[in-house]
């Protein structure tokens, strides 16, 4: 007897923090969802490599800072409420890089929207933090255990392992095909990180930045996490996380040969007493960012249709946009996936279920016409 074809409200491709969170939010809204990934476990991509610090952005109040901090406020409350075991509110101290940077911190202060207080050089020294100027302490910030967080969210949603090879539209459904699998879903969410071989989505300008980081065994007493030029976590069960490098290289092996950790170790040794640090594990993964560093959340434009139907678009015409029906993206979370994912997934779920318009600052539409003019 032929197996019954399952039809889903939404099928989400990619089980990183973005996909796990999208599946979770959509299911909470009553949808029948299926999460798929080529890997059998969640967080096999960039999400598994993340140090997963969840802290606010400092600066002079740019639109990106405002959005990041809105996402930060939402994320920390979300994790504390729903997944407290995997988010430790260690506090995160933002330390100026040098005396010049310390002057900038004073200008940034009026734009610190999240709860914080100043910490003097002497207080930092007493905590075992060396060579530091007066800093900002964000008490409610902290660190996720990245794979454990993704696993915990993942446990709430149905999952199947397969590599999606094609997406086709058929009678109001998406047919999502892998080598030996085929599923039908009304909506599809692409949460595939820096990879996308399924559709022409070049206008979103997704690009990857490799990063390496390490976990170290240590007996160092360190109760708070910090960020200067690199991040150093609090000592959590005898382990401190150091992270991370940023490298545009395409070949991961070049970046993962162990040497980048040397620079992290050197920088850490100037911040804290790292004399007994012993490398436990190395992580390496790709961050996927957009052209303007804002996340990419919402509908996907039908690029071939637009270029064929409106050739004048290349010379600045602004025709109405046509979308691929019921196809969505959740990507471009850059170096702050664990900060952005909860709020961006909530927004996407509202777009899909309640047909709420996605705000333009995160909507990929913002990049389309500009991209066309450059073709
Ligand atoms: C070294 C490092 C340190 C970081 N530190 C932090 C930090 O401190 N704080 C923070 O918030 N963020 C941090 N990040 C960033 C964070 O990890 C990313 O923003 C986040 O992982 C992005 O998640 P994602 O779900 O979009 O992508 P990914 O985690 O890459 O997930 C994409 C998934 O899609 C799957 N996939 C792709 N194509 C297909 C297909 N065709 N079929 C099936 N499956 C497919 C892949 O297998 C993968 O599992 C760091 C990243 C790195 C690399």
């Amino acid at each position: 007897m032929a197996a019954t074809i399952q039809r889903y409200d939404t099928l989400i491709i990619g089980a990183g923090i973005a996909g796990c969170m999208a599946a979770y939010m959509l299911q909470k809204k009553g949808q029948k969802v299926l999460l798929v990934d080529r890997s059998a476990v969640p967080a096999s991509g960039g999400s598994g490599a993340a140090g997963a610090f969840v802290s606010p952005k400092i600066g002079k109040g740019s639109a990106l800072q405002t959005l990041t901090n809105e996402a930060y406020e939402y994320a920390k409350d979300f994790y504390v409420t729903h997944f407290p075991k995997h988010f430790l509110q260690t506090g995160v101290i933002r330390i100026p890089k040098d005396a010049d940077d310390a002057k900038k911190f004073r200008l940034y202060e009026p734009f610190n929207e999240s709860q914080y207080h100043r910490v003097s050089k002497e207080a930092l020294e007493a905590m075992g933090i060396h060579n530091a100027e007066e800093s900002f302490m964000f008490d409610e910030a902290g660190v996720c255990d990245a794979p454990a967080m993704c696993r915990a969210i993942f446990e709430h949603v149905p999952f199947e392992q397969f590599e999606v090879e094609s997406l086709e539209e058929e009678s109001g459904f998406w047919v999502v095909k892998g080598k030996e699998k085929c599923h039908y879903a009304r909506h599809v969410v692409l949460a595939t990180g820096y990879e996308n071989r399924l559709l022409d989505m070049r206008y979103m300008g997704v690009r990857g930045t490799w990063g390496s980081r390490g976990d170290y065994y240590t007996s160092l007493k360190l109760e708070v996490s910090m960020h200067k030029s690199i991040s150093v976590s609090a000592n959590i069960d005898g382990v401190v996380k150091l992270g991370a490098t940023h490298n545009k290289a395409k070949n991961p092996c070049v970046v993962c040969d162990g040497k980048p950790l040397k620079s992290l170790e050197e920088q850490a040794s100037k911040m804290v007493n790292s004399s007994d640090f012993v490398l436990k594990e190395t992580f390496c993964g790709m961050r996927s960012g957009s052209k303007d560093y804002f996340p990419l959340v919402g509908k996907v434009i039908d690029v071939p249709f637009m270029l064929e139907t409106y050739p004048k678009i290349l010379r600045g015409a602004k025709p109405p946009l046509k979308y691929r029906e019921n196809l969505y993206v959740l990507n471009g979370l850059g170096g702050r996936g664990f900060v952005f994912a909860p709020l961006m997934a909530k927004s996407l779920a509202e777009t899909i279920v309640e047909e709420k318009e996605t705000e333009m600052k995160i909507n990929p539409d913002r990049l389309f016409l500009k991209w066309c003019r450059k073709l």
Side-chain angles (χ1 to χ4, degrees), residues 154-173:
F154 177 84
E155 277 165 15
H156 289 260
V157 291
F159 172 78
E160 273 195 31
Q161 180 191 4
F162 71 98
E163 163 124 26
V164 176
E165 294 183 343
S166 71
L167 289 172
E168 286 158 26
E169 286 174 278
E170 191 185 296
S171 318
F173 278 88

mmCIF file with all atom_site columns, all heavy atoms in Angstrom, residues 154-173:
data_model
loop_
_atom_site.group_PDB
_atom_site.id
_atom_site.type_symbol
_atom_site.label_atom_id
_atom_site.label_alt_id
_atom_site.label_comp_id
_atom_site.label_asym_id
_atom_site.label_entity_id
_atom_site.label_seq_id
_atom_site.pdbx_PDB_ins_code
_atom_site.Cartn_x
_atom_site.Cartn_y
_atom_site.Cartn_z
_atom_site.occupancy
_atom_site.B_iso_or_equiv
_atom_site.pdbx_formal_charge
_atom_site.auth_seq_id
_atom_site.auth_comp_id
_atom_site.auth_asym_id
_atom_site.auth_atom_id
_atom_site.pdbx_PDB_model_num
ATOM 1   N N   . PHE A 1 154 ? 14.843 22.047 19.081 1.00 0.00 ? 154 PHE A N   1
ATOM 2   C CA  . PHE A 1 154 ? 14.640 20.992 18.081 1.00 0.00 ? 154 PHE A CA  1
ATOM 3   C C   . PHE A 1 154 ? 13.746 19.866 18.619 1.00 0.00 ? 154 PHE A C   1
ATOM 4   O O   . PHE A 1 154 ? 12.931 19.301 17.898 1.00 0.00 ? 154 PHE A O   1
ATOM 5   C CB  . PHE A 1 154 ? 16.053 20.501 17.763 1.00 0.00 ? 154 PHE A CB  1
ATOM 6   C CG  . PHE A 1 154 ? 16.205 19.364 16.825 1.00 0.00 ? 154 PHE A CG  1
ATOM 7   C CD1 . PHE A 1 154 ? 16.214 19.583 15.464 1.00 0.00 ? 154 PHE A CD1 1
ATOM 8   C CD2 . PHE A 1 154 ? 16.433 18.077 17.298 1.00 0.00 ? 154 PHE A CD2 1
ATOM 9   C CE1 . PHE A 1 154 ? 16.422 18.538 14.582 1.00 0.00 ? 154 PHE A CE1 1
ATOM 10  C CE2 . PHE A 1 154 ? 16.628 17.030 16.441 1.00 0.00 ? 154 PHE A CE2 1
ATOM 11  C CZ  . PHE A 1 154 ? 16.620 17.259 15.069 1.00 0.00 ? 154 PHE A CZ  1
ATOM 12  N N   . GLU A 1 155 ? 13.899 19.558 19.914 1.00 0.00 ? 155 GLU A N   1
ATOM 13  C CA  . GLU A 1 155 ? 13.105 18.472 20.505 1.00 0.00 ? 155 GLU A CA  1
ATOM 14  C C   . GLU A 1 155 ? 11.608 18.755 20.474 1.00 0.00 ? 155 GLU A C   1
ATOM 15  O O   . GLU A 1 155 ? 10.801 17.854 20.589 1.00 0.00 ? 155 GLU A O   1
ATOM 16  C CB  . GLU A 1 155 ? 13.551 18.225 21.955 1.00 0.00 ? 155 GLU A CB  1
ATOM 17  C CG  . GLU A 1 155 ? 14.777 17.332 22.010 1.00 0.00 ? 155 GLU A CG  1
ATOM 18  C CD  . GLU A 1 155 ? 15.458 17.346 23.360 1.00 0.00 ? 155 GLU A CD  1
ATOM 19  O OE1 . GLU A 1 155 ? 14.847 17.814 24.334 1.00 0.00 ? 155 GLU A OE1 1
ATOM 20  O OE2 . GLU A 1 155 ? 16.626 16.896 23.404 1.00 0.00 ? 155 GLU A OE2 1
ATOM 21  N N   . HIS A 1 156 ? 11.241 20.027 20.307 1.00 0.00 ? 156 HIS A N   1
ATOM 22  C CA  . HIS A 1 156 ? 9.820  20.387 20.314 1.00 0.00 ? 156 HIS A CA  1
ATOM 23  C C   . HIS A 1 156 ? 9.167  20.219 18.937 1.00 0.00 ? 156 HIS A C   1
ATOM 24  O O   . HIS A 1 156 ? 7.959  20.360 18.816 1.00 0.00 ? 156 HIS A O   1
ATOM 25  C CB  . HIS A 1 156 ? 9.640  21.855 20.734 1.00 0.00 ? 156 HIS A CB  1
ATOM 26  C CG  . HIS A 1 156 ? 9.936  22.076 22.183 1.00 0.00 ? 156 HIS A CG  1
ATOM 27  N ND1 . HIS A 1 156 ? 8.951  22.175 23.132 1.00 0.00 ? 156 HIS A ND1 1
ATOM 28  C CD2 . HIS A 1 156 ? 11.100 22.203 22.840 1.00 0.00 ? 156 HIS A CD2 1
ATOM 29  C CE1 . HIS A 1 156 ? 9.497  22.350 24.319 1.00 0.00 ? 156 HIS A CE1 1
ATOM 30  N NE2 . HIS A 1 156 ? 10.808 22.384 24.161 1.00 0.00 ? 156 HIS A NE2 1
ATOM 31  N N   . VAL A 1 157 ? 9.965  20.018 17.878 1.00 0.00 ? 157 VAL A N   1
ATOM 32  C CA  . VAL A 1 157 ? 9.375  20.046 16.529 1.00 0.00 ? 157 VAL A CA  1
ATOM 33  C C   . VAL A 1 157 ? 9.694  18.776 15.747 1.00 0.00 ? 157 VAL A C   1
ATOM 34  O O   . VAL A 1 157 ? 10.773 18.203 15.907 1.00 0.00 ? 157 VAL A O   1
ATOM 35  C CB  . VAL A 1 157 ? 9.871  21.292 15.729 1.00 0.00 ? 157 VAL A CB  1
ATOM 36  C CG1 . VAL A 1 157 ? 9.312  22.566 16.312 1.00 0.00 ? 157 VAL A CG1 1
ATOM 37  C CG2 . VAL A 1 157 ? 11.372 21.357 15.632 1.00 0.00 ? 157 VAL A CG2 1
ATOM 38  N N   . PRO A 1 158 ? 8.751  18.343 14.881 1.00 0.00 ? 158 PRO A N   1
ATOM 39  C CA  . PRO A 1 158 ? 9.028  17.165 14.056 1.00 0.00 ? 158 PRO A CA  1
ATOM 40  C C   . PRO A 1 158 ? 10.184 17.449 13.089 1.00 0.00 ? 158 PRO A C   1
ATOM 41  O O   . PRO A 1 158 ? 10.291 18.552 12.547 1.00 0.00 ? 158 PRO A O   1
ATOM 42  C CB  . PRO A 1 158 ? 7.728  16.970 13.269 1.00 0.00 ? 158 PRO A CB  1
ATOM 43  C CG  . PRO A 1 158 ? 6.707  17.824 13.910 1.00 0.00 ? 158 PRO A CG  1
ATOM 44  C CD  . PRO A 1 158 ? 7.414  18.908 14.639 1.00 0.00 ? 158 PRO A CD  1
ATOM 45  N N   . PHE A 1 159 ? 11.024 16.431 12.885 1.00 0.00 ? 159 PHE A N   1
ATOM 46  C CA  . PHE A 1 159 ? 12.243 16.626 12.075 1.00 0.00 ? 159 PHE A CA  1
ATOM 47  C C   . PHE A 1 159 ? 12.459 15.438 11.154 1.00 0.00 ? 159 PHE A C   1
ATOM 48  O O   . PHE A 1 159 ? 12.160 14.308 11.509 1.00 0.00 ? 159 PHE A O   1
ATOM 49  C CB  . PHE A 1 159 ? 13.443 16.762 13.022 1.00 0.00 ? 159 PHE A CB  1
ATOM 50  C CG  . PHE A 1 159 ? 14.769 16.767 12.288 1.00 0.00 ? 159 PHE A CG  1
ATOM 51  C CD1 . PHE A 1 159 ? 15.202 17.906 11.629 1.00 0.00 ? 159 PHE A CD1 1
ATOM 52  C CD2 . PHE A 1 159 ? 15.563 15.620 12.243 1.00 0.00 ? 159 PHE A CD2 1
ATOM 53  C CE1 . PHE A 1 159 ? 16.408 17.911 10.949 1.00 0.00 ? 159 PHE A CE1 1
ATOM 54  C CE2 . PHE A 1 159 ? 16.771 15.626 11.552 1.00 0.00 ? 159 PHE A CE2 1
ATOM 55  C CZ  . PHE A 1 159 ? 17.195 16.771 10.909 1.00 0.00 ? 159 PHE A CZ  1
ATOM 56  N N   . GLU A 1 160 ? 13.022 15.730 9.971  1.00 0.00 ? 160 GLU A N   1
ATOM 57  C CA  . GLU A 1 160 ? 13.507 14.652 9.097  1.00 0.00 ? 160 GLU A CA  1
ATOM 58  C C   . GLU A 1 160 ? 14.842 15.044 8.517  1.00 0.00 ? 160 GLU A C   1
ATOM 59  O O   . GLU A 1 160 ? 15.064 16.215 8.186  1.00 0.00 ? 160 GLU A O   1
ATOM 60  C CB  . GLU A 1 160 ? 12.512 14.404 7.950  1.00 0.00 ? 160 GLU A CB  1
ATOM 61  C CG  . GLU A 1 160 ? 11.430 13.433 8.344  1.00 0.00 ? 160 GLU A CG  1
ATOM 62  C CD  . GLU A 1 160 ? 10.665 12.909 7.144  1.00 0.00 ? 160 GLU A CD  1
ATOM 63  O OE1 . GLU A 1 160 ? 11.246 12.788 6.040  1.00 0.00 ? 160 GLU A OE1 1
ATOM 64  O OE2 . GLU A 1 160 ? 9.470  12.644 7.337  1.00 0.00 ? 160 GLU A OE2 1
ATOM 65  N N   . GLN A 1 161 ? 15.697 14.040 8.410  1.00 0.00 ? 161 GLN A N   1
ATOM 66  C CA  . GLN A 1 161 ? 17.019 14.303 7.843  1.00 0.00 ? 161 GLN A CA  1
ATOM 67  C C   . GLN A 1 161 ? 17.008 14.043 6.342  1.00 0.00 ? 161 GLN A C   1
ATOM 68  O O   . GLN A 1 161 ? 16.737 12.930 5.907  1.00 0.00 ? 161 GLN A O   1
ATOM 69  C CB  . GLN A 1 161 ? 18.052 13.379 8.496  1.00 0.00 ? 161 GLN A CB  1
ATOM 70  C CG  . GLN A 1 161 ? 19.438 13.612 7.928  1.00 0.00 ? 161 GLN A CG  1
ATOM 71  C CD  . GLN A 1 161 ? 20.426 12.547 8.340  1.00 0.00 ? 161 GLN A CD  1
ATOM 72  O OE1 . GLN A 1 161 ? 20.066 11.572 8.998  1.00 0.00 ? 161 GLN A OE1 1
ATOM 73  N NE2 . GLN A 1 161 ? 21.678 12.741 7.958  1.00 0.00 ? 161 GLN A NE2 1
ATOM 74  N N   . PHE A 1 162 ? 17.237 15.068 5.566  1.00 0.00 ? 162 PHE A N   1
ATOM 75  C CA  . PHE A 1 162 ? 17.564 14.894 4.140  1.00 0.00 ? 162 PHE A CA  1
ATOM 76  C C   . PHE A 1 162 ? 18.022 16.207 3.544  1.00 0.00 ? 162 PHE A C   1
ATOM 77  O O   . PHE A 1 162 ? 17.741 17.279 4.077  1.00 0.00 ? 162 PHE A O   1
ATOM 78  C CB  . PHE A 1 162 ? 16.406 14.273 3.336  1.00 0.00 ? 162 PHE A CB  1
ATOM 79  C CG  . PHE A 1 162 ? 15.194 15.126 3.091  1.00 0.00 ? 162 PHE A CG  1
ATOM 80  C CD1 . PHE A 1 162 ? 15.019 15.805 1.883  1.00 0.00 ? 162 PHE A CD1 1
ATOM 81  C CD2 . PHE A 1 162 ? 14.183 15.219 4.048  1.00 0.00 ? 162 PHE A CD2 1
ATOM 82  C CE1 . PHE A 1 162 ? 13.873 16.550 1.639  1.00 0.00 ? 162 PHE A CE1 1
ATOM 83  C CE2 . PHE A 1 162 ? 13.036 15.967 3.818  1.00 0.00 ? 162 PHE A CE2 1
ATOM 84  C CZ  . PHE A 1 162 ? 12.887 16.637 2.603  1.00 0.00 ? 162 PHE A CZ  1
ATOM 85  N N   . GLU A 1 163 ? 18.783 16.079 2.484  1.00 0.00 ? 163 GLU A N   1
ATOM 86  C CA  . GLU A 1 163 ? 19.269 17.258 1.767  1.00 0.00 ? 163 GLU A CA  1
ATOM 87  C C   . GLU A 1 163 ? 18.201 17.647 0.753  1.00 0.00 ? 163 GLU A C   1
ATOM 88  O O   . GLU A 1 163 ? 17.824 16.838 -0.103 1.00 0.00 ? 163 GLU A O   1
ATOM 89  C CB  . GLU A 1 163 ? 20.577 16.899 1.052  1.00 0.00 ? 163 GLU A CB  1
ATOM 90  C CG  . GLU A 1 163 ? 20.963 17.883 -0.018 1.00 0.00 ? 163 GLU A CG  1
ATOM 91  C CD  . GLU A 1 163 ? 22.341 18.458 0.188  1.00 0.00 ? 163 GLU A CD  1
ATOM 92  O OE1 . GLU A 1 163 ? 23.165 17.794 0.823  1.00 0.00 ? 163 GLU A OE1 1
ATOM 93  O OE2 . GLU A 1 163 ? 22.564 19.582 -0.292 1.00 0.00 ? 163 GLU A OE2 1
ATOM 94  N N   . VAL A 1 164 ? 17.714 18.860 0.832  1.00 0.00 ? 164 VAL A N   1
ATOM 95  C CA  . VAL A 1 164 ? 16.700 19.305 -0.127 1.00 0.00 ? 164 VAL A CA  1
ATOM 96  C C   . VAL A 1 164 ? 17.412 19.630 -1.447 1.00 0.00 ? 164 VAL A C   1
ATOM 97  O O   . VAL A 1 164 ? 18.364 20.409 -1.479 1.00 0.00 ? 164 VAL A O   1
ATOM 98  C CB  . VAL A 1 164 ? 15.928 20.529 0.400  1.00 0.00 ? 164 VAL A CB  1
ATOM 99  C CG1 . VAL A 1 164 ? 14.946 21.030 -0.652 1.00 0.00 ? 164 VAL A CG1 1
ATOM 100 C CG2 . VAL A 1 164 ? 15.194 20.180 1.692  1.00 0.00 ? 164 VAL A CG2 1
ATOM 101 N N   . GLU A 1 165 ? 16.941 18.982 -2.512 1.00 0.00 ? 165 GLU A N   1
ATOM 102 C CA  . GLU A 1 165 ? 17.590 19.186 -3.817 1.00 0.00 ? 165 GLU A CA  1
ATOM 103 C C   . GLU A 1 165 ? 16.770 20.047 -4.752 1.00 0.00 ? 165 GLU A C   1
ATOM 104 O O   . GLU A 1 165 ? 17.320 20.647 -5.676 1.00 0.00 ? 165 GLU A O   1
ATOM 105 C CB  . GLU A 1 165 ? 17.888 17.828 -4.452 1.00 0.00 ? 165 GLU A CB  1
ATOM 106 C CG  . GLU A 1 165 ? 18.924 17.084 -3.644 1.00 0.00 ? 165 GLU A CG  1
ATOM 107 C CD  . GLU A 1 165 ? 19.325 15.764 -4.246 1.00 0.00 ? 165 GLU A CD  1
ATOM 108 O OE1 . GLU A 1 165 ? 18.589 15.262 -5.113 1.00 0.00 ? 165 GLU A OE1 1
ATOM 109 O OE2 . GLU A 1 165 ? 20.366 15.240 -3.830 1.00 0.00 ? 165 GLU A OE2 1
ATOM 110 N N   . SER A 1 166 ? 15.453 20.066 -4.547 1.00 0.00 ? 166 SER A N   1
ATOM 111 C CA  . SER A 1 166 ? 14.639 20.933 -5.410 1.00 0.00 ? 166 SER A CA  1
ATOM 112 C C   . SER A 1 166 ? 13.344 21.346 -4.723 1.00 0.00 ? 166 SER A C   1
ATOM 113 O O   . SER A 1 166 ? 12.874 20.675 -3.795 1.00 0.00 ? 166 SER A O   1
ATOM 114 C CB  . SER A 1 166 ? 14.312 20.210 -6.724 1.00 0.00 ? 166 SER A CB  1
ATOM 115 O OG  . SER A 1 166 ? 13.385 19.188 -6.477 1.00 0.00 ? 166 SER A OG  1
ATOM 116 N N   . LEU A 1 167 ? 12.822 22.468 -5.214 1.00 0.00 ? 167 LEU A N   1
ATOM 117 C CA  . LEU A 1 167 ? 11.548 23.002 -4.737 1.00 0.00 ? 167 LEU A CA  1
ATOM 118 C C   . LEU A 1 167 ? 10.686 23.266 -5.956 1.00 0.00 ? 167 LEU A C   1
ATOM 119 O O   . LEU A 1 167 ? 11.121 23.975 -6.859 1.00 0.00 ? 167 LEU A O   1
ATOM 120 C CB  . LEU A 1 167 ? 11.777 24.356 -4.056 1.00 0.00 ? 167 LEU A CB  1
ATOM 121 C CG  . LEU A 1 167 ? 12.481 24.394 -2.712 1.00 0.00 ? 167 LEU A CG  1
ATOM 122 C CD1 . LEU A 1 167 ? 12.765 25.840 -2.321 1.00 0.00 ? 167 LEU A CD1 1
ATOM 123 C CD2 . LEU A 1 167 ? 11.611 23.740 -1.660 1.00 0.00 ? 167 LEU A CD2 1
ATOM 124 N N   . GLU A 1 168 ? 9.506  22.677 -5.977 1.00 0.00 ? 168 GLU A N   1
ATOM 125 C CA  . GLU A 1 168 ? 8.622  22.914 -7.132 1.00 0.00 ? 168 GLU A CA  1
ATOM 126 C C   . GLU A 1 168 ? 7.226  23.269 -6.630 1.00 0.00 ? 168 GLU A C   1
ATOM 127 O O   . GLU A 1 168 ? 6.783  22.734 -5.608 1.00 0.00 ? 168 GLU A O   1
ATOM 128 C CB  . GLU A 1 168 ? 8.512  21.637 -7.984 1.00 0.00 ? 168 GLU A CB  1
ATOM 129 C CG  . GLU A 1 168 ? 9.751  21.364 -8.802 1.00 0.00 ? 168 GLU A CG  1
ATOM 130 C CD  . GLU A 1 168 ? 9.850  19.896 -9.195 1.00 0.00 ? 168 GLU A CD  1
ATOM 131 O OE1 . GLU A 1 168 ? 8.794  19.226 -9.277 1.00 0.00 ? 168 GLU A OE1 1
ATOM 132 O OE2 . GLU A 1 168 ? 10.985 19.430 -9.378 1.00 0.00 ? 168 GLU A OE2 1
ATOM 133 N N   . GLU A 1 169 ? 6.533  24.127 -7.397 1.00 0.00 ? 169 GLU A N   1
ATOM 134 C CA  . GLU A 1 169 ? 5.161  24.489 -7.023 1.00 0.00 ? 169 GLU A CA  1
ATOM 135 C C   . GLU A 1 169 ? 4.179  23.560 -7.720 1.00 0.00 ? 169 GLU A C   1
ATOM 136 O O   . GLU A 1 169 ? 4.350  23.273 -8.914 1.00 0.00 ? 169 GLU A O   1
ATOM 137 C CB  . GLU A 1 169 ? 4.879  25.938 -7.442 1.00 0.00 ? 169 GLU A CB  1
ATOM 138 C CG  . GLU A 1 169 ? 5.568  26.945 -6.546 1.00 0.00 ? 169 GLU A CG  1
ATOM 139 C CD  . GLU A 1 169 ? 5.390  28.360 -7.062 1.00 0.00 ? 169 GLU A CD  1
ATOM 140 O OE1 . GLU A 1 169 ? 6.142  28.743 -7.968 1.00 0.00 ? 169 GLU A OE1 1
ATOM 141 O OE2 . GLU A 1 169 ? 4.512  29.057 -6.555 1.00 0.00 ? 169 GLU A OE2 1
ATOM 142 N N   . GLU A 1 170 ? 3.177  23.076 -6.968 1.00 0.00 ? 170 GLU A N   1
ATOM 143 C CA  . GLU A 1 170 ? 2.177  22.177 -7.558 1.00 0.00 ? 170 GLU A CA  1
ATOM 144 C C   . GLU A 1 170 ? 0.857  22.376 -6.836 1.00 0.00 ? 170 GLU A C   1
ATOM 145 O O   . GLU A 1 170 ? 0.756  22.092 -5.651 1.00 0.00 ? 170 GLU A O   1
ATOM 146 C CB  . GLU A 1 170 ? 2.672  20.724 -7.411 1.00 0.00 ? 170 GLU A CB  1
ATOM 147 C CG  . GLU A 1 170 ? 1.872  19.720 -8.197 1.00 0.00 ? 170 GLU A CG  1
ATOM 148 C CD  . GLU A 1 170 ? 2.347  18.297 -7.890 1.00 0.00 ? 170 GLU A CD  1
ATOM 149 O OE1 . GLU A 1 170 ? 3.506  17.959 -8.193 1.00 0.00 ? 170 GLU A OE1 1
ATOM 150 O OE2 . GLU A 1 170 ? 1.533  17.548 -7.312 1.00 0.00 ? 170 GLU A OE2 1
ATOM 151 N N   . SER A 1 171 ? -0.117 22.861 -7.536 1.00 0.00 ? 171 SER A N   1
ATOM 152 C CA  . SER A 1 171 ? -1.482 23.044 -6.999 1.00 0.00 ? 171 SER A CA  1
ATOM 153 C C   . SER A 1 171 ? -1.510 23.685 -5.613 1.00 0.00 ? 171 SER A C   1
ATOM 154 O O   . SER A 1 171 ? -2.121 23.149 -4.682 1.00 0.00 ? 171 SER A O   1
ATOM 155 C CB  . SER A 1 171 ? -2.216 21.696 -6.913 1.00 0.00 ? 171 SER A CB  1
ATOM 156 O OG  . SER A 1 171 ? -1.989 20.912 -8.027 1.00 0.00 ? 171 SER A OG  1
ATOM 157 N N   . GLY A 1 172 ? -0.842 24.786 -5.479 1.00 0.00 ? 172 GLY A N   1
ATOM 158 C CA  . GLY A 1 172 ? -0.897 25.529 -4.217 1.00 0.00 ? 172 GLY A CA  1
ATOM 159 C C   . GLY A 1 172 ? -0.014 24.978 -3.114 1.00 0.00 ? 172 GLY A C   1
ATOM 160 O O   . GLY A 1 172 ? -0.069 25.440 -1.970 1.00 0.00 ? 172 GLY A O   1
ATOM 161 N N   . PHE A 1 173 ? 0.796  23.972 -3.443 1.00 0.00 ? 173 PHE A N   1
ATOM 162 C CA  . PHE A 1 173 ? 1.737  23.435 -2.457 1.00 0.00 ? 173 PHE A CA  1
ATOM 163 C C   . PHE A 1 173 ? 3.164  23.521 -2.988 1.00 0.00 ? 173 PHE A C   1
ATOM 164 O O   . PHE A 1 173 ? 3.378  23.544 -4.203 1.00 0.00 ? 173 PHE A O   1
ATOM 165 C CB  . PHE A 1 173 ? 1.427  21.949 -2.166 1.00 0.00 ? 173 PHE A CB  1
ATOM 166 C CG  . PHE A 1 173 ? 0.309  21.783 -1.172 1.00 0.00 ? 173 PHE A CG  1
ATOM 167 C CD1 . PHE A 1 173 ? -1.012 21.747 -1.606 1.00 0.00 ? 173 PHE A CD1 1
ATOM 168 C CD2 . PHE A 1 173 ? 0.580  21.675 0.180  1.00 0.00 ? 173 PHE A CD2 1
ATOM 169 C CE1 . PHE A 1 173 ? -2.039 21.607 -0.689 1.00 0.00 ? 173 PHE A CE1 1
ATOM 170 C CE2 . PHE A 1 173 ? -0.450 21.539 1.102  1.00 0.00 ? 173 PHE A CE2 1
ATOM 171 C CZ  . PHE A 1 173 ? -1.753 21.499 0.676  1.00 0.00 ? 173 PHE A CZ  1
#
